């Protein structure tokens, strides 16, 4: 039996100070466990109990668990508190300091347990969010950059808050974040340090699954947007800002997504009417009324974009390891950042290919819809995206052909619509898969559209504005500088 100076009459803090010396925890784990022990000690004092080991039995533990529920703690948080105490009590039970472990007998259930904090969006809903971000930005609501970065990177909100202008790398075309242990200290440090003995105080924070170096690639148009966005900013300035123009902290990202949901009608915002005139004047003086938010089944949170992007990438054919890389669920410790980027080049290539496809699909759909009132069937197109993704991995310039096919698909849809309206039904049913079959009818389409001067002008605009290289933006029928080939003939 190991020697210990702890007895049943020792305080929880004293017991933990000795217990943690025998554990190989990261400093973040030590910090979390210590915080939980402090909260337990304070709870016992509020109950009129001396916070020592012998004063904790099963009856006390049941009351403690019930009080936490009343205070609004989630079952997940209560389980975390239980795990801390159970671990320490198991240690001293094995040493013979105490008899039994009342925390091990406690069963915490969650009758309202959900699989996720937020739902995942389908391809059409994600496009609607993409379009809504642009529409709100045009109205002066600054949601575009935070929304697009969250949409294409699936970063946690805590990681989004840490991004600075320096994080935007034009050489690597993505976001680079280097973990700084001195800057990334958690708020509880000052509270916890007062309980630590001299020489044991943390002066830094340790990397873990949520605090570490990372690199996330970005699609080309988003990179161009970020370059313009940061042009007159200082390297150490925060990259992302909330609705009120302050750096992204606390719940600011949630408010941004709420604004997008409100724009889409996925949450309903109403204001309480004052009961009498006096209250009405009082509310008017304050300049605000009580706001009531009703969430529909389509409502989502920033974390939902992590589920969305990982789900869509999986359906596209991105490997599980590349998705783990994107989400930060790494199975290995990270070394130097440059080595990290080189060793994971395969995953970065996969993520970049998937990002470019989604961005091209959304951009083309938005141009067709806003400028020409042509709506693409995104669900039908997305069924073919795994093949597009496979080809894009083999040739990075394949994205130009994908965009060309999207526009030709729109031509075929327009052809069918015109023939149907004119009473000529000889056009066959078509899908995105069958787009090649319609190329032989291209001259017929042009002759048909020539009869309508306005529609033919629209066709000319489509060719000149949409059939361009996504990398060098060379217009159709002109030699592309990237591929040295004619894009559209």
């Amino acid at each position: 039996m190991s020697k210990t100076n702890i007895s049943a009459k020792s305080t929880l803090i004293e017991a933990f100070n000795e217990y943690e010396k025998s554990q190989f925890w990261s400093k973040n784990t030590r910090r979390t466990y210590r915080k939980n022990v402090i909260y337990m000690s304070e709870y016992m004092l509020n109950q009129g109990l001396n916070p020592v080991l012998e004063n904790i039995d099963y009856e006390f533990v049941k009351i403690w668990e019930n009080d936490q529920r009343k205070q609004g703690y989630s079952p997940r948080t209560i389980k975390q508190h239980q795990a801390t105490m159970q671990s320490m009590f198991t240690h001293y039970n094995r040493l013979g300091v105490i008899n039994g472990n009342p925390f091990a007998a406690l069963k915490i259930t969650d009758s309202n347990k959900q699989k996720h904090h937020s739902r995942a969006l389908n391809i059409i809903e994600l496009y609607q969010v993409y379009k809504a971000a642009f529409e709100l930005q045009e109205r002066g609501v600054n949601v575009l950059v935070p929304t697009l970065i969250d949409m294409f990177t699936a970063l946690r909100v805590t990681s989004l808050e840490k991004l600075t202008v320096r994080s935007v790398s034009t050489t690597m075309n993505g976001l680079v974040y280097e973990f700084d242990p001195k800057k990334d200290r958690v708020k509880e440090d000052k509270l916890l340090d007062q309980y630590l003995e001299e020489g044991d105080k943390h002066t830094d924070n340790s990397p873990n699954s949520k605090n570490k170096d990372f690199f996330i690639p970005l699609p080309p148009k988003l990179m161009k947007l970020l370059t313009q966005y940061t042009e007159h900013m200082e390297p150490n300035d925060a990259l992302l800002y909330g609705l009120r123009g302050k750096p992204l902290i606390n719940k600011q990202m949630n408010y941004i997504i709420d604004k997008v949901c409100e724009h889409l009608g996925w949450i309903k915002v109403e204001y309480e009417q004052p009961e009498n005139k006096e209250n009405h004047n009082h509310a008017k003086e304050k300049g605000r009324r009580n706001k009531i938010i009703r969430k529909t089944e389509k409502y989502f949170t920033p974390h939902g974009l992590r589920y969305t992007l990982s789900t869509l990438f999986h359906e596209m054919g991105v490997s599980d390891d590349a998705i783990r890389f994107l989400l930060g669920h790494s199975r290995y410790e990270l070394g130097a950042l440059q080595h990290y980027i080189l060793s994971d080049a395969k995953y970065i290539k996969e993520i970049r290919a998937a990002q470019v496809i989604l961005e091209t699909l959304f951009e083309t759909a938005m141009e067709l819809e806003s400028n020409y009132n042509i709506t693409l069937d995104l669900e039908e197109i997305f069924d073919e995206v795994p093949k597009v993704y496979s080809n894009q991995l083999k040739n990075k310039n394949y994205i130009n052909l994908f965009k060309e096919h999207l526009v030709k698909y729109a031509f075929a849809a327009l052809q069918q619509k015109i023939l149907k309206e004119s009473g000529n039904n000889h056009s066959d049913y078509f899908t995105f898969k069958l787009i090649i079959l319609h190329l032989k009818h291209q001259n017929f389409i042009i002759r048909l559209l020539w009869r309508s001067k306005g529609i033919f002008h629209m066709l000319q605009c489509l060719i000149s504005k949409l059939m361009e290289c996504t990398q060098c933006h060379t217009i159709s029928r002109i030699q592309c500088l990237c591929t040295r080939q004619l894009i559209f003939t």
Side-chain angles (χ1 to χ4, degrees), residues 183-360:
K183 290 182 179 179
D184 295 322
R185 298 184 67 194
V186 297
K187 297 177 182 178
E188 288 86 358
D189 275 359
K190 291 182 180 179
L191 169 66
L192 304 181
D193 284 349
Q194 63 181 308
Y195 292 96
L196 291 169
E197 298 174 0
E198 196 64 33
D200 288 339
K201 293 188 178 182
H202 336 117
T203 56
D204 61 30
N205 196 2
S206 300
N208 61 15
S209 62
K210 295 183 181 180
N211 296 310
K212 61 185 177 184
D213 297 347
F214 63 76
F215 169 75
I216 300 291
L218 293 176
K221 291 197 174 181
L222 179 53
M223 270 303 303
K224 183 179 179 181
L225 175 65
L226 277 181
T227 302
Q228 296 171 347
Y229 170 75
T230 58
E231 187 176 0
H232 301 294
M233 299 170 69
E234 296 297 325
N236 291 325
D237 288 347
L239 180 63
L240 304 178
Y241 295 82
L243 295 174
R244 297 183 178 180
K246 295 181 179 180
L248 204 65
I249 56 173
N250 299 328
K251 296 288 185 179
Q252 293 302 313
M253 192 64 207
N254 292 69
Y255 299 149
I256 288 173
I257 296 299
D258 283 354
K259 183 62 70 173
V260 172
C261 287
E262 181 183 352
H263 179 73
L264 292 169
W266 295 355
I267 61 174
K268 307 293 184 182
V269 179
E270 300 174 356
Y271 293 90
E272 285 184 344
Q273 294 297 329
E275 295 180 1
N276 53 55
K277 191 173 182 180
E278 183 179 346
N279 289 341
H280 175 71
N281 292 334
H282 184 63
K284 192 173 181 180
E285 288 175 5
K286 284 192 169 185
R288 64 175 184 270
R289 292 177 289 166
N290 291 333
K291 186 163 63 173
I292 302 173
I293 297 178
R294 292 187 174 89
K295 301 173 183 177
T296 71
E297 69 280 358
K298 290 203 168 191
Y299 173 78
F300 72 100
T301 68
H303 205 73
L305 291 175
R306 284 174 65 80
Y307 298 126
T308 299
L309 199 62
S310 56
T311 300
L312 292 178
F313 277 13
H314 178 73
E315 292 175 0
M316 289 170 67
V318 179
S319 70
D320 289 347
D321 282 344
I323 294 174
R324 265 190 218 101
F325 171 88
L326 176 69
L327 298 178
H329 295 174
S330 180
R331 294 179 297 178
Y332 42 82
E333 291 297 324
L334 303 182
L337 184 62
Q338 192 60 35
H339 170 72
Y340 174 46
I341 294 170
L342 292 175
S343 64
D344 290 307
K346 176 180 179 293
Y347 304 147
I348 293 171
K349 180 181 178 182
E350 289 186 46
I351 294 167
R352 197 185 296 281
Q355 288 175 331
V356 168
I357 291 169
L358 280 184
E359 185 181 63
T360 301

Side-chain angles (χ1 to χ4, degrees), residues 13-65:
I13 298 296
E14 291 171 342
F16 183 79
N17 282 342
E18 181 167 313
Y19 170 50
E20 71 169 344
K21 292 176 182 177
S22 64
Q23 304 302 311
F24 298 97
W25 296 328
S26 70
K27 290 186 178 179
N28 291 296
T29 300
R30 292 178 188 273
R31 181 181 293 112
T32 300
Y33 273 37
R34 179 173 293 279
K35 180 179 69 173
N36 293 340
V37 171
I38 292 170
Y39 288 165
M40 173 61 85
S41 299
E42 292 175 347
Y43 173 79
M44 293 181 72
L45 288 172
N46 291 334
Q47 298 298 311
L49 293 173
N50 191 17
V52 296
L53 295 174
E54 66 179 5
N55 281 344
I56 296 180
D57 57 20
Y58 183 63
E59 290 302 319
F60 167 82
V61 170
K62 288 197 297 184
I63 295 171
W64 166 75
E65 188 260 347

Side-chain angles (χ1 to χ4, degrees), residues 154-200:
L155 285 172
R156 293 182 177 92
V157 173
T158 52
S159 297
L160 293 174
E161 293 171 356
K162 295 173 183 176
L163 294 175
T164 63
V165 174
R166 195 187 304 275
S167 304
V168 180
S169 173
T170 54
T171 57
M172 292 186 285
N173 292 319
L175 294 174
V176 176
Y177 174 76
E178 297 188 60
F179 178 77
D180 188 336
K182 293 184 178 179
K183 290 182 179 179
D184 295 322
R185 298 184 67 194
V186 297
K187 297 177 182 178
E188 288 86 358
D189 275 359
K190 291 182 180 179
L191 169 66
L192 304 181
D193 284 349
Q194 63 181 308
Y195 292 96
L196 291 169
E197 298 174 0
E198 196 64 33
D200 288 339

